[in-house]
Amino acid sequence: MSVKVYIDGQAGTTGLKIVNRLETREDITLLKIAEEDRHNAEKRAEMMHEADFTFLCLPDDAAREAVQLAGDSTRILDASTAHRTNPAWAYGFPELSPEFRAKLASSDKTAVPGCYASGFISLLYPMVANGLLPADYPVFAYATSGYSGAGKNAIAQYESEDKPYEFGSPRQYALSQQHKHLPEMQKFAGLTHAPMFNPIICDYHSGMVVSVPIQTRTLDKKITLAQVNAMFAEHYAEAKLVQVQPMMGEEQKSFFLASNTLSGQNKLEIFTFGNDEQILLCARLDNLGKGASGAAVQCLNIMMGIDETTGLL
């Protein structure tokens, strides 16, 4: 027997990707609203009330309004930032701990993680939770990302023949240190203070790497690169969609870490580079996969009580 799924915001980048991942599944019946009714609150509410699960792929304010429209008639998965730090909602990153997974499995309301936040939290949560990094460490992170995560308008600009000259180079943004993912990154990494975060949008379609450098001389307790790598390997030993790469020796000197390698895939890779004095943590993922629609489908699978990788591998 199939479950009924409605995607509110099915025409957006994330919504379309979720449709692509679900429309061929025999255990899913996709409810699709007529094009002329996409902004009709009454018609949208009807779809939500009919659905077993509803994805919200909307701007924050619209997502909050949609939750009110839905009431308690459907189980909700919100891909906006509107509810990610709300303690009443499950946070959709089951690999972080058994507690995260259990809350997600039983929840009627799940906040799907952000793309940058997924990479960042995959690195910092284990570091803090396992006592290798203090919660008050002054964390700095930077990230390179494809343009697809910026939405339809940005995609059209990047793919147009007359795109601005500057779009051909990496462009830093969120320079005021007020990126919308920061509250989520701080909370689920277990940090006392918000991290500094430097996102960089680049001229390729999809994929990202989030990097966090650590100067071990600033720590009260000495840690080594091998210790950090072993911790990650143990922490994610049972994870199906998070893979910890072995620690590199001499080969890392000539190694290039591309940001688009996992484009189109639904997994996340963790790397540990550097040495015992300067450790560089990196998480690579597809901003539209494990960073958005892939994560949303993984959350749906867990809420349905089936294998989390269904339709993702």
Side-chain angles (χ1 to χ4, degrees):
M1 181 177 179
S2 65
V3 300
K4 297 179 181 179
V5 174
Y6 170 60
I7 302 168
D8 197 16
Q10 63 192 32
T13 306
T14 299
L16 285 171
K17 288 291 184 179
I18 295 174
V19 169
N20 291 341
R21 286 168 164 82
L22 297 182
E23 62 185 353
T24 59
R25 284 178 50 172
E26 295 182 357
D27 59 339
I28 299 288
T29 299
L30 275 180
L31 305 179
K32 294 189 178 181
I33 196 166
E35 179 67 22
E36 62 270 19
D37 292 331
R38 287 198 300 114
H39 301 292
N40 184 314
E42 182 178 346
K43 296 293 185 181
R44 290 164 56 219
E46 290 177 4
M47 300 294 279
M48 295 178 198
H49 294 169
E50 183 180 352
D52 300 299
F53 296 90
T54 295
F55 288 97
L56 305 180
C57 303
L58 304 165
D60 288 0
D61 288 343
R64 294 186 186 96
E65 293 172 359
V67 171
Q68 299 302 314
L69 284 177
D72 296 324
S73 63
T74 182
R75 299 177 76 182
I76 296 174
L77 299 98
D78 183 9
S80 78
T81 64
H83 300 98
R84 288 176 187 161
T85 57
N86 187 332
W89 287 59
Y91 188 66
F93 202 143
E95 294 92 349
L96 294 181
S97 74
E99 291 75 22
F100 277 86
R101 182 177 292 275
K103 185 174 182 178
L104 172 59
S106 62
S107 178
D108 288 331
K109 291 182 171 60
T110 293
V112 180
C115 53
Y116 286 127
S118 294
F120 180 85
I121 294 165
S122 74
L123 300 171
L124 267 295
Y125 177 89
M127 289 291 291
V128 175
N130 288 282
L132 298 187
L133 201 67
D136 62 353
Y137 186 79
V139 174
F140 167 70
Y142 61 93
T144 51
S145 175
Y147 56 77
S148 57
K152 280 190 170 182
N153 290 337
I155 293 173
Q157 282 186 298
Y158 268 98
E159 295 182 351
S160 68
E161 293 183 0
D162 58 347
K163 68 181 177 184
Y165 173 74
E166 290 81 5
F167 280 42
S169 100
R171 294 188 298 147
Q172 302 181 48
Y173 68 105
L175 299 174
S176 65
Q177 291 303 303
Q178 294 178 323
H179 192 279
K180 65 180 182 179
H181 287 183
L182 283 174
E184 174 187 4
M185 292 161 71
Q186 178 183 347
K187 176 177 179 178
F188 293 106
L191 297 174
T192 306
H193 307 288
M196 286 193 69
F197 179 49
N198 182 204
I200 305 166
I201 187 171
C202 306
D203 189 12
Y204 65 95
H205 184 261
S206 63
M208 66 170 40
V209 171
V210 180
S211 301
V212 179
I214 297 171
Q215 301 276 359
T216 61
R217 67 177 181 275
T218 65
L219 302 176
D220 292 333
K221 183 175 68 173
K222 183 70 173 178
I223 61 174
T224 67
L225 185 62
Q227 181 184 7
V228 171
N229 184 266
M231 179 277 296
F232 279 122
E234 181 178 357
H235 190 90
Y236 291 114
E238 303 300 321
K240 297 180 179 180
L241 295 175
V242 178
Q243 182 180 12
V244 179
Q245 297 297 333
M247 188 175 68
M248 294 185 185
E250 285 297 311
E251 64 268 35
Q252 72 173 292
K253 292 181 179 179
S254 58
F255 184 78
F256 286 83
L257 186 64
S259 298
N260 62 351
T261 304
L262 295 183
S263 181
Q265 301 186 44
N266 295 295
K267 65 180 181 179
L268 182 151
E269 295 177 320
I270 289 177
F271 298 83
T272 52
F273 297 117
N275 51 64
D276 291 348
E277 285 70 44
Q278 295 179 315
I279 296 175
L280 180 62
L281 309 176
C282 297
R284 178 163 64 185
L285 64 156
D286 181 1
N287 50 294
L288 298 180
K290 183 62 170 159
S293 57
V297 172
Q298 180 186 10
C299 290
L300 171 67
N301 290 337
I302 292 173
M303 293 169 74
M304 288 174 59
I306 63 176
D307 189 314
E308 67 190 286
T309 65
T310 302
L312 296 175
L313 294 178

